[in-house]
Amino acid sequence: MEEKLTEAVIEAIRLAATNLPEDVINAIKGAYEREESRIAKFNLENILKSIEIGKNERIPICQDTGTITFFVEAGIKNPYLSEIGEILLEATRRATQEIPLRPNAVDVLTNKNSGDNTGRFVPIIHWELVEGNRIRIAVLPKGGGSENCSALAMLNPIEGFEGVKRFIVKRVRECGGKPCPPVILGVGIGGSADLALKLAKKSLLRPLGMRHENERIAQLEEEILDKVNSLGIGPMGMGGRTTALDVKIEYAHRHPASLPVGLIIQCWAHRKAFIEVDEKGKVKIWQ
Ligand code: SF4
């Protein structure tokens, strides 16, 4: 069973690295239709060609295959639960060889690359214990260029949602073309510094175009999207209407003195895949 599950995780990593999900492709195609400038259309056309080549040839759609992040919802009654941590590590090592992925794990002390995308605390694994017997794993390879633009603000609560918008728009403007726009913005509001960033990254798993279930948060997503798209940064930072494809927000209760805002900037190469393992070891993979 361990080998079967390892193979499934490798397949999910391959799917994420080589094939963008429909929601992302549709958002890029929609942006292409809306853009008027030739250069913006040209950049989006090239992005769509890269996606097509990756899919047809089963090769990574970008040379930076990212740092692999797993979000695991671990059903406490699943009999394979104790094996999953080691399976994720082994699958990452083998996927690096087999797909192949660029080795992106560098030792902070020696600057030596481990060569297999594993190392101290990487791949990044976020665990959440849940009721039931299913394990659901989200695979999110995240490029370094866009991650470099991610940021945290510890706002004064009096700044409210206006402060949240100001911080995000300022950060996106500062970064310009660096995160390979059109981007997807993951935003975490509340909690603590670490929780805000974790929620921001997790919010990226929600399909593009799907608004938050809370009406006020959904409205804030729209407001930020409009403001960011009025910056004119455009595809690959060369001008245009589409700086962001979408904004995703997740939120938590906060300390009375703090309003943390985590911002994770994701590039157009928004790679993701999902795996579910039931109590009998039956596996489902999708995007
Ligand atoms: S930011 Fe994204 S699209 Fe740009 S080089 Fe990195 S992974 Fe590739």
Side-chain angles (χ1 to χ4, degrees), residues 61-66 102 141-147 177-181 236 266-271:
I61 52 173
C62 180
Q63 83 286 348
D64 180 1
T65 48
R102 192 172 81 182
K142 180 74 173 60
S146 56
E147 191 72 356
K178 284 189 220 156
C180 296
M236 302 315 287
Q266 173 67 303
C267 55
W268 65 263
H270 183 25
R271 294 158 285 192

Side-chain angles (χ1 to χ4, degrees), residues 20-207:
L20 279 197
E22 280 301 306
D23 60 326
V24 183
I25 296 174
N26 289 339
I28 297 171
K29 285 183 178 166
Y32 178 84
E33 295 304 324
R34 280 190 305 277
E35 287 290 356
E36 285 172 347
S37 93
R38 264 184 55 222
I39 188 77
K41 275 193 178 293
F42 175 75
N43 279 317
L44 290 169
E45 205 177 314
N46 282 335
I47 286 172
L48 288 165
K49 273 185 200 156
S50 298
I51 295 168
E52 199 57 27
I53 292 169
K55 182 179 176 183
N56 292 340
E57 302 188 18
R58 295 206 93 194
I59 55 173
I61 52 173
C62 180
Q63 83 286 348
D64 180 1
T65 48
T67 297
I68 296 179
T69 303
F70 296 105
F71 285 91
V72 184
E73 280 178 14
I76 50 175
K77 293 189 186 134
N78 187 289
Y80 309 107
L81 188 52
S82 63
E83 296 166 39
I84 292 295
E86 190 43 52
I87 285 170
L88 296 180
L89 288 180
E90 181 58 15
T92 300
R93 288 184 198 109
R94 281 174 48 187
T96 303
Q97 285 284 317
E98 291 174 22
I99 295 175
L101 304 174
R102 192 172 81 182
N104 278 338
V106 175
D107 187 311
V108 167
L109 301 176
T110 63
N111 286 327
K112 192 166 176 282
N113 196 317
S114 71
D116 64 7
N117 278 310
T118 69
R120 189 173 167 83
F121 297 124
V122 293
I124 299 158
I125 307 176
H126 295 289
W127 292 95
E128 187 185 345
L129 292 178
V130 295
E131 286 296 332
N133 49 24
R134 284 174 197 271
I135 298 174
R136 186 173 276 202
I137 303 164
V139 184
L140 186 77
K142 180 74 173 60
S146 56
E147 191 72 356
N148 285 346
C149 288
S150 297
L152 171 76
M154 299 302 289
L155 300 182
N156 185 323
I158 207 163
E159 295 181 76
F161 283 180
E162 285 308 311
V164 173
K165 284 189 257 182
R166 264 197 308 276
F167 159 63
I168 293 169
V169 172
K170 180 170 176 278
R171 184 63 185 154
V172 173
R173 186 191 288 119
E174 275 165 11
C175 285
K178 284 189 220 156
C180 296
V183 295
I184 298 103
L185 303 176
V187 181
I189 303 175
S192 53
D194 58 329
L195 182 59
L197 283 166
K198 182 179 160 185
L199 291 177
K201 191 160 276 184
K202 195 173 180 194
S203 74
L204 292 171
L205 299 175
R206 193 154 27 101

